[in-house]
Amino acid sequence: MKTSTFSKISLLAIFATLFVQIGAQLFAMLTIVQTLVKNPPKSFQMVKGDYGYDSSIFWNTIPNLTTLLFVIALIACWKTKARKWIIISFSIFICAGVLAMVVVEPKFAELITNESSTTLNEMTSTRYRLDWTLWFLTLLSGLVLTKPIYDRLN
């Protein structure tokens, strides 16, 4: 089946935005989260106050853009063999998003508000492991897309 230019561009666009997100997550893990969990509750000061670190504009924009591009790529590649790989990748991406919204973000809010908790070190360790789990899921989602991209471009 002949592959349209639009389907190729849509695959490359989703791949690009997905790996922007993967890179941002890795940056956050290696810099922000490392600092945040280093010496709780003192280290929590980096996210508090008028000038605390806040990456919410990025995380409120890029995952939504990535989701939109997944839908566009799925529509553009619906009658191709790439459809299966896009659906698998999108499913993994959605699972990571649900994990982030339902588990990770509430745990982070609980962590920041319970500065005097006796289990603070355990809570920060859990947060750190969950962040790595999210990163690996997103990376897996991106790696799944390498198959249809390779096929479409050759």
Side-chain angles (χ1 to χ4, degrees):
M1 176 179 282
K2 188 173 184 326
T3 305
S4 73
T5 303
F6 182 68
S7 69
K8 289 179 184 178
I9 291 171
S10 69
L11 269 173
L12 290 174
I14 185 58
F15 190 73
T17 58
L18 195 52
F19 273 90
V20 163
Q21 186 170 331
I22 291 166
Q25 283 178 284
L26 186 59
F27 168 78
M29 290 295 304
L30 297 176
T31 58
I32 308 306
V33 178
Q34 279 278 359
T35 302
L36 193 66
V37 301
K38 192 173 280 183
N39 188 19
K42 284 183 183 179
S43 54
F44 296 167
Q45 292 306 311
M46 72 177 291
V47 294
K48 295 192 173 201
D50 293 337
Y51 302 103
Y53 176 78
D54 181 14
S55 60
S56 62
I57 188 133
F58 179 87
W59 295 112
N60 290 336
T61 305
I62 297 301
N64 292 327
L65 176 63
T66 305
T67 301
L68 176 65
L69 290 173
F70 259 118
V71 171
I72 291 169
L74 197 52
I75 291 167
C77 299
W78 189 253
K79 292 182 180 181
T80 69
K81 293 178 183 177
R83 174 181 64 192
K84 174 179 91 173
W85 296 103
I86 296 168
I87 291 172
I88 292 169
S89 178
F90 193 31
S91 298
I92 295 168
F93 180 78
I94 293 297
C95 286
V98 168
L99 179 65
M101 288 186 303
V102 174
V103 178
V104 176
E105 290 310 314
K107 288 229 183 262
F108 179 67
E110 178 187 353
L111 177 68
I112 295 299
T113 57
N114 291 328
E115 289 184 12
S116 61
S117 174
T118 57
T119 61
L120 203 51
N121 285 332
E122 182 182 322
M123 290 169 71
T124 55
S125 295
T126 300
R127 164 65 198 256
Y128 193 63
R129 285 191 303 275
L130 286 170
D131 277 340
W132 276 110
T133 302
L134 285 177
W135 183 78
F136 280 114
L137 282 172
T138 309
L139 178 64
L140 179 61
S141 176
L143 292 176
V144 166
L145 283 180
T146 59
K147 171 75 170 117
I149 287 174
Y150 178 78
D151 291 346
R152 297 278 83 75
L153 298 178
N154 286 323

